[in-house]
Amino acid sequence: MDTNYTISTEEFEIIEQYLLSEINAEERLAFENKMSEDISLASKVNEVKLLLTGIETASLKERLDNYHINIKKNHPLTSGGKVISLQRKLMVAASIALLAAVSVWLYTLKENKYEKLYAAYYKPDPGLMSAMGLGNNYLFNKAMLDYKTGDYKKAIDEWGRLKTGMPQNDTLNYFLGAAQQADGNSAAAITLLKSMASDAAKPFYNDACWYTGLALLKQGNVNEAIPYLEKSGRPESSELISQLK
Amino acid sequence: MQQNTRNQFIDLQIQAAAVLANDEKALEALYTNNFYKTEAFVMANSGTAEEAKDIYQEAFIAVWQNIKAGRFVPQNGSSLEAYLFQIAKYKWYDYLRAAKKISVVPVEDSSFIEASYNEEEENYIENVRHHFKNLGEPCRKVLTLFYFMKQSMSNIAATFSWTEATAKNNKYRCLQRLRNMVVGKQ
């Protein structure tokens, strides 16, 4: 945008009157004729229009900040987590992306039977439906959203930080393992999930067995994988095991 | 039902006209009544409350600019609230995509969001917004009273205990100063 000219006070005045419709029809027509003959006048008019829009926008922004302070005063608690159907849309989109990624991967994969089986049977744990809460719960749920939208690295990072404060939390360990697995880090996933898969009284026991078995399978460790798959109670486990034997 | 739709349509026209005139009550009501929906949406989609506020304000400004530029024309069955939420949603997905937080964005019609200005013009407006903050308090006040609050020169003169001629001169001086800052002639 060429602004290499000066706009005199008189020019400002007439341009402004034109833009704010403060001139009559006859004057307007005359001014528009002049604009069509004088390109520099036309660009000055456009520039002043932007200048005035900018001023109004800046004034509006100051007001919006004030409105916002009032909102927070009147409703100190934030809502959140209500728009589940929209989030689902995003999840569906993420799943489609994942599916597409898996198909491409499958196609380019070398003839590795176990990895192929892994790809066919592994689906990331769908995660927990969460209502936004406060404190650690809030941080946990925030990471859950990253996990569910496919940002596994961010979820690992966030859950990893939470884990230092509560290393024995089963739910946290399980989902951290799930995120590591989804991100392709089988070894890290196995370490986390195995501890859950060793004790039938633990929550997520069956799921932990299933995913530990799959992670071991992906590493080619079939003999160790089978017992875990057997303990998982998954309907598809016997079908998978039959292909391994 | 027919009657109801027509009343809603008239309400929408009144509301759009009020926003066009920068009616503070209408602006604040529109802002306040719709914030939580956007906040909930952003926070359910990997965002923070602070990010929700920023996205919502930018969406609000876009709606307001589009009304001014005649891009939002009230139609039967449309609503400013829905329009605002749609733009906020679009801007949030756009932000997520730019931040590489998601790779796939739900496909939705985005023609409604086409900005009123091209990129160069957007930049100019951004510059004005930025430099406006650096103007002195009297200049900010004069320009806000005249261009945003649509007050008359005689009212503004009375506010500052100036003559009307002085008020007019000062307004142009402020405008020139702001323009010089924006086009870098200072």
Side-chain angles (χ1 to χ4, degrees), chain A residues 125 174 193 197 204-213 231-232 234:
Chain A
D125 187 291
Y174 175 75
L193 295 173
F204 307 109
Y205 168 74
N206 293 103
D207 289 332
C209 287
W210 172 248
Y211 286 112
T212 304
K231 286 189 289 182
S232 74
R234 289 262 179 160

Side-chain angles (χ1 to χ4, degrees), chain B:
Chain B
M1 188 65 201
Q2 195 87 36
Q3 188 62 38
N4 199 16
T5 335
R6 199 161 76 224
N7 284 344
Q8 281 169 358
F9 180 47
I10 291 167
D11 286 348
L12 172 65
Q13 286 175 308
I14 293 170
Q15 193 189 15
V19 169
L20 194 61
N22 295 336
D23 179 286
E24 290 246 45
K25 271 200 187 121
L27 288 174
E28 181 158 16
L30 183 64
Y31 186 94
T32 307
N33 294 338
N34 294 285
F35 173 67
Y36 282 112
K37 196 171 172 195
T38 295
E39 187 189 48
F41 171 78
V42 168
M43 292 184 70
N45 287 288
S46 324
T48 63
E50 195 55 31
E51 288 170 324
K53 177 192 161 193
D54 291 342
I55 271 307
Y56 182 64
Q57 292 199 345
E58 284 311 308
F60 194 93
I61 287 169
V63 166
W64 174 87
Q65 283 183 348
N66 286 353
I67 292 175
K68 298 225 166 238
R71 292 195 67 96
F72 176 83
V73 182
Q75 275 169 351
N76 228 337
S78 62
S79 89
L80 271 186
E81 285 76 10
Y83 186 56
L84 176 57
F85 183 59
Q86 221 178 352
I87 291 191
K89 234 168 60 177
Y90 180 87
K91 281 184 178 284
W92 180 246
Y93 282 139
D94 207 45
Y95 170 82
L96 285 181
R97 188 171 36 196
K100 301 253 185 308
K101 291 190 177 177
I102 50 170
S103 52
V104 176
V105 166
V107 182
E108 281 183 47
D109 177 26
S110 63
S111 57
F112 65 88
I113 190 138
E114 276 172 42
S116 302
Y117 305 98
N118 67 34
E119 206 184 323
E120 214 177 25
E121 294 171 329
E122 285 285 355
N123 282 340
Y124 188 97
I125 293 173
E126 269 308 306
N127 269 332
V128 176
R129 286 176 63 181
H130 172 72
H131 288 293
F132 185 80
K133 289 184 221 147
N134 303 329
L135 279 177
E137 166 69 21
C139 268
R140 285 208 310 270
K141 198 165 172 191
V142 169
L143 296 178
T144 299
L145 286 173
F146 188 78
Y147 293 108
F148 187 83
M149 315 272 285
K150 318 281 184 204
Q151 294 213 4
S152 68
M153 264 349 264
S154 60
N155 256 344
I156 294 171
T159 309
F160 287 91
S161 311
W162 291 334
T163 65
E164 212 177 312
T166 310
K168 221 170 146 184
N169 268 337
N170 285 348
K171 192 196 81 180
Y172 281 117
R173 208 170 295 157
C174 293
L175 216 46
Q176 285 285 12
R177 190 176 304 161
L178 180 59
R179 175 176 187 258
N180 288 342
M181 287 158 98
V182 172
V183 300
K185 273 191 213 146
Q186 224 196 8

Side-chain angles (χ1 to χ4, degrees), chain A residues 6-19 31 41 44 47-49 51-52 55, chain B residues 124 147 171-180:
Chain A
T6 50
I7 304 176
S8 70
T9 304
E10 293 70 31
E11 274 177 316
F12 251 137
E13 200 161 352
I14 176 73
I15 291 171
E16 180 176 298
Q17 283 170 350
Y18 169 73
L19 289 173
F31 187 79
L41 178 63
K44 284 175 189 175
E47 194 199 333
V48 172
K49 189 174 89 187
L51 185 63
L52 302 191
I55 293 171
Chain B
Y124 188 97
Y147 293 108
K171 192 196 81 180
Y172 281 117
R173 208 170 295 157
C174 293
L175 216 46
Q176 285 285 12
R177 190 176 304 161
L178 180 59
R179 175 176 187 258
N180 288 342

Side-chain angles (χ1 to χ4, degrees), chain A residues 57-144:
Chain A
T57 308
S59 306
L60 176 68
K61 175 73 168 78
E62 282 178 1
R63 268 154 190 79
L64 298 188
D65 289 333
N66 285 335
Y67 301 159
H68 209 85
I69 292 167
N70 289 340
I71 286 190
K72 290 292 158 191
K73 251 190 250 159
N74 298 336
H75 310 268
L77 284 175
T78 53
S79 52
K82 278 183 192 163
V83 200
I84 282 161
S85 66
L86 288 158
Q87 186 191 329
R88 280 186 98 145
K89 254 199 236 169
L90 200 62
M91 281 167 63
V92 169
S95 320
I96 292 169
L98 194 72
L99 201 69
V102 167
S103 329
V104 170
W105 185 44
L106 259 180
Y107 182 75
T108 52
L109 198 68
K110 286 178 211 143
E111 293 298 303
N112 184 322
K113 183 184 166 196
Y114 299 138
E115 287 199 5
K116 265 184 153 177
L117 281 172
Y118 176 81
Y121 283 89
Y122 171 71
K123 268 195 229 97
D125 187 291
L128 297 175
M129 220 43 199
S130 57
M132 280 288 187
L134 295 169
N136 283 337
N137 211 13
Y138 169 76
L139 292 174
F140 178 82
N141 287 331
K142 195 169 166 297
M144 182 59 79

